[in-house]
Amino acid sequence: EVQLQQSGAELVKPGASVKLSCKTSGYTFSNYYMSWLKQMPGQNIEWIGNIYGGNGGTGYNQKFKGKATLTVDKSSSTAYMDLSSLTSEDSAVYFCARETFGGWFAYWGQGTLVTVSS
Amino acid sequence: DVQMTQSPYNLAASPGESVSINCKASKSISKYLAWYQQKPGKANKLLIYDGSTLQSGIPSRFSGSGSGTDFTLTIRSLEPEDFGLYYCQQHNEYPWTFGGGTKLELK
């Protein structure tokens, strides 16, 4: 069974950084892309970018370049996303989702709530 | 970026009824549209991809249609577990983009 287990909620101060994790199981991590997505309260879902589990190759939505950095640890089948210089606009739920080669998402993590507040 | 516009924003229906949710792309995306269901406390669920292909394990009361810029998700004979948020997503070109969502509520 494919599972994506995301790290717990974060409360961070403005200007700080945070690193979110997405631990996977039930499939061959290196054979798939992992995407990260953002959903602000009551808003639609935005695609941040993706990373290939095999070689760590990345692709980013231009909107999130400089804000998000995606990495993987193949040894633990875990994907990570670093968010930097946080502001209130970064307060949101962040999802990881396994991306098919067709571009849709068949498996999602449960989401991680990030709250940016002093 | 391809802009995705969903309608209606809210939809109220009763179990047993049929409903349709629309999604319009700002330019042609061929058949490359996916639909998801979102419910509190549960992982987002893929329903449909490639416009009309039902994801494995999804009941046949869900169906998708359309191509180009206009797409529809139809749910026939609503079940109580179908109420929630629905999103469309174009998977024709990067960056992937989503519609604003439709809230399907119990009437």
Side-chain angles (χ1 to χ4, degrees):
Chain A
E1 179 192 6
V2 174
Q3 293 192 337
L4 281 62
Q5 183 63 43
Q6 296 188 238
S7 47
E10 299 273 3
L11 173 61
V12 292
K13 294 191 185 316
S17 297
V18 69
K19 188 170 188 172
L20 310 184
S21 67
C22 174
K23 184 168 177 58
T24 73
S25 60
Y27 73 98
T28 304
F29 182 77
S30 58
N31 286 355
Y32 289 88
Y33 283 90
M34 185 67 75
S35 272
W36 288 87
L37 305 103
K38 175 184 180 182
Q39 187 171 32
M40 295 179 73
Q43 308 255 351
N44 73 332
I45 301 167
E46 297 180 278
W47 180 76
I48 295 170
N50 62 11
I51 184 165
Y52 188 54
N55 61 9
T58 54
Y60 292 93
N61 185 336
Q62 185 69 29
K63 178 178 178 179
F64 293 95
K65 281 186 176 178
K67 170 62 64 177
T69 303
L70 306 184
T71 56
V72 294
D73 177 359
K74 287 199 294 183
S75 67
S76 62
S77 299
T78 302
Y80 297 93
M81 178 172 67
D82 272 290
L83 297 169
S84 63
S85 304
L86 292 166
T87 72
S88 59
E89 289 298 302
D90 298 314
S91 293
V93 175
Y94 292 87
F95 297 98
C96 59
R98 196 185 83 173
E99 184 177 325
T100 68
F101 288 103
W104 61 86
F105 307 105
Y107 299 96
W108 294 68
Q110 81 277 19
T112 295
L113 175 63
V114 174
T115 304
V116 182
S117 174
S118 55
Chain B
D1 299 0
V2 181
Q3 304 303 313
M4 306 300 294
T5 304
Q6 270 183 253
S7 62
Y9 180 74
N10 281 314
L11 186 53
S14 301
E17 292 184 349
S18 294
V19 297
S20 291
I21 299 170
N22 301 302
C23 186
K24 188 174 185 67
S26 61
K27 64 185 225 184
S28 176
I29 56 170
S30 187
K31 66 176 181 177
Y32 300 115
L33 188 93
W35 291 97
Y36 301 89
Q37 181 191 66
Q38 185 175 68
K39 299 181 79 168
K42 292 192 171 185
N44 295 338
K45 183 183 291 187
L46 171 68
L47 305 171
I48 302 273
Y49 60 91
D50 284 350
S52 61
T53 302
L54 195 66
Q55 169 69 354
S56 176
I58 300 301
S60 59
R61 63 179 181 272
F62 291 88
S63 63
S65 62
S67 65
T69 60
D70 293 288
F71 298 83
T72 300
L73 173 70
T74 300
I75 313 172
R76 291 186 173 81
S77 191
L78 280 166
E79 297 283 344
E81 62 266 28
D82 297 336
F83 295 93
L85 278 164
Y86 289 84
Y87 290 91
C88 61
Q89 175 231 336
Q90 64 83 15
H91 56 94
N92 183 60
E93 64 180 62
Y94 283 117
W96 311 134
T97 48
F98 289 75
T102 295
K103 188 173 184 179
L104 176 58
E105 298 178 301
L106 186 62
K107 189 186 289 183

